[in-house]
């Protein structure tokens, strides 16, 4: 399949209920069957109403504030083949194409007929294409989509070894051209970007866990703890140990 369904839920939200900032490893599609409210996706605020849906990229912080009683459907999904989706709030088509697919997925999960998992992946793949078609035409520039796909892929797998040449080959560009376009759009080269993602994750783990520094180095994709300490200090001007001690002290 071109996309896989990672999770699916349906919930009823109470009047004035607030869902605190959180994120997911995969894309999330939130469909507002009824109700109205506001949501923050990354650094942008949106209002939503019945028949709208939100697209949230992997690792993007987002929340929800519900003004009235609401019914909501959630789907988490991922794909290594399709272009990236653009975050934001969208309105379903008059024919309710998005709702129809999500309702069908809900039915598959409820009845669990033979090969229901394969059917779910088929439906989310079909829905992914519908979502792509619904994106603003002026934003579906092929070059932008290719680089956004590469960025999203790195965001998802930054803790693993990533073959940048393979990403360049998949984009249809030489590595040098791919690197240039990536830096133009993202602000840093692919190798610098993945380093920054690893450093940010390491900061979070140093501050919020008691894992040993060597374990954090491995979790974040560094080859050795010596490499981790050296690069961490180069980027932050402080050692991982000192960073942990400093942030622990700040939290007292």
């Amino acid at each position: 399949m071109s996309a896989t369904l990672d999770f699916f839920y349906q919930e009823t939200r109470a009047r004035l209920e607030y869902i605190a900032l959180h994120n997911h490893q995969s894309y999330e599609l939130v469909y507002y069957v009824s109700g109205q409210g506001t949501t923050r996706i990354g650094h942008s605020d949106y209002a939503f109403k019945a028949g709208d849906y939100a697209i949230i990229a992997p690792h993007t912080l987002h929340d929800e504030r519900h003004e009235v009683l609401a019914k909501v459907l959630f789907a988490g999904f991922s794909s290594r083949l399709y272009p990236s989706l653009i975050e934001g709030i969208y309105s379903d088509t008059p024919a309710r194409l998005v709702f129809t697919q999500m309702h069908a997925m809900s039915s598959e999960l409820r009845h669990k007929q033979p090969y229901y998992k394969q059917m779910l992946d088929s439906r989310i793949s079909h829905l992914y294409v519908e979502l792509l078609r619904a994106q603003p035409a002026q934003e579906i520039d092929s070059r932008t989509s290719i680089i956004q796909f590469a960025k999203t892929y790195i965001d998802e797998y930054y803790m693993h070894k990533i073959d940048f040449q393979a990403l360049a080959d998949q984009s249809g560009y030489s590595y040098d051209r791919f690197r240039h376009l990536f830096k133009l759009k993202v602000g840093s080269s692919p190798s610098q970007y993945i380093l920054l993602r690893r450093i940010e994750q390491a900061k979070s783990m140093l501050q919020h866990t008691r894992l040993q520094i060597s374990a954090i180095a491995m979790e974040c994709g560094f080859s050795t703890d010596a490499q981790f300490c050296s690069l961490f200090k180069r980027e932050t001007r402080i050692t991982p140990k000192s960073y942990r001690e400093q942030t622990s002290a700040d939290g007292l």
Side-chain angles (χ1 to χ4, degrees):
M1 299 297 175
S2 299
T4 56
L5 184 69
D6 300 322
F7 61 82
F8 189 97
Y9 303 104
Q10 45 190 336
E11 300 284 352
T12 298
R13 299 301 191 195
R15 178 177 176 272
L16 302 181
E17 184 171 354
Y18 174 63
I19 310 301
L21 285 167
H22 62 288
N23 60 33
H24 304 280
Q25 298 294 314
S26 56
Y27 275 106
E28 185 181 23
L29 171 63
V30 183
Y31 193 98
Y32 303 104
V33 181
S34 63
Q36 63 186 47
T38 59
T39 178
R40 165 160 285 216
I41 302 174
H43 299 293
S44 300
D45 294 313
Y46 303 88
F48 62 80
K49 63 185 184 307
D52 287 347
Y53 60 90
I55 295 176
I56 302 117
H59 306 291
T60 295
L61 288 170
H62 56 286
D63 67 4
E64 283 180 3
R65 294 181 184 275
H66 291 270
E67 297 175 6
V68 297
L69 184 71
K71 291 184 178 180
V72 188
L73 300 174
F74 309 87
F77 57 97
S78 52
S79 172
R80 297 191 182 185
L81 298 179
Y82 288 146
S84 299
L85 294 166
I86 302 168
E87 291 182 323
I89 292 288
Y90 299 85
S91 295
D92 202 354
T93 65
R96 304 182 77 196
L97 290 175
V98 177
F99 174 78
T100 298
Q101 286 294 335
M102 296 193 77
H103 181 71
M105 285 188 278
S106 176
S107 178
E108 285 290 339
L109 280 167
R110 187 167 58 253
H111 296 106
K112 291 185 171 59
Q113 296 184 34
Y115 302 105
Y116 78 95
K117 291 182 179 178
Q118 288 82 355
M119 182 60 76
L120 287 170
D121 287 344
S122 176
R123 290 194 178 280
I124 198 63
S125 296
H126 180 87
L127 179 53
Y128 202 125
V129 175
E130 295 288 359
L131 296 174
L132 286 170
R133 287 178 170 179
Q135 306 262 261
Q138 66 272 21
E139 296 192 64
I140 309 182
D141 172 77
S142 60
R143 187 173 70 180
T144 299
S145 295
I146 287 168
I147 300 304
Q148 183 61 41
F149 169 82
K151 178 179 177 295
T152 301
Y153 184 87
I154 293 172
D155 285 340
E156 186 78 15
Y157 298 103
Y158 65 88
M159 69 293 294
H160 302 295
K161 182 177 176 60
I162 292 180
D163 187 340
F164 293 121
Q165 182 62 59
L167 277 179
D169 292 342
Q170 187 173 354
S171 74
Y173 296 114
S174 68
Y175 175 73
D176 287 342
R177 181 61 175 164
F178 169 75
R179 182 181 183 280
H180 174 71
L181 292 174
F182 190 96
K183 190 170 184 178
L184 279 178
K185 179 171 178 59
V186 179
S188 58
S189 68
S191 57
Q192 180 67 11
Y193 182 73
I194 193 172
L195 173 60
L196 294 177
R197 291 289 289 112
R198 288 171 174 173
I199 293 293
E200 287 305 309
Q201 178 63 15
K203 285 181 178 179
S204 178
M205 295 181 74
L206 287 166
Q207 185 174 359
H208 300 295
T209 78
R210 301 313 302 168
L211 286 174
Q212 292 185 346
I213 289 175
S214 58
I216 292 175
M218 295 299 103
E219 286 284 334
C220 294
F222 294 94
S223 300
T224 65
D225 53 340
Q227 180 201 46
F228 167 53
C229 292
S230 174
L231 292 173
F232 189 96
K233 186 175 182 180
R234 189 188 76 184
E235 296 299 321
T236 66
R237 300 178 183 273
I238 189 173
T239 65
K241 181 181 179 181
S242 295
Y243 180 85
R244 169 172 274 171
E245 292 172 348
Q246 178 178 302
T247 53
S248 297
D250 290 344
L252 292 178

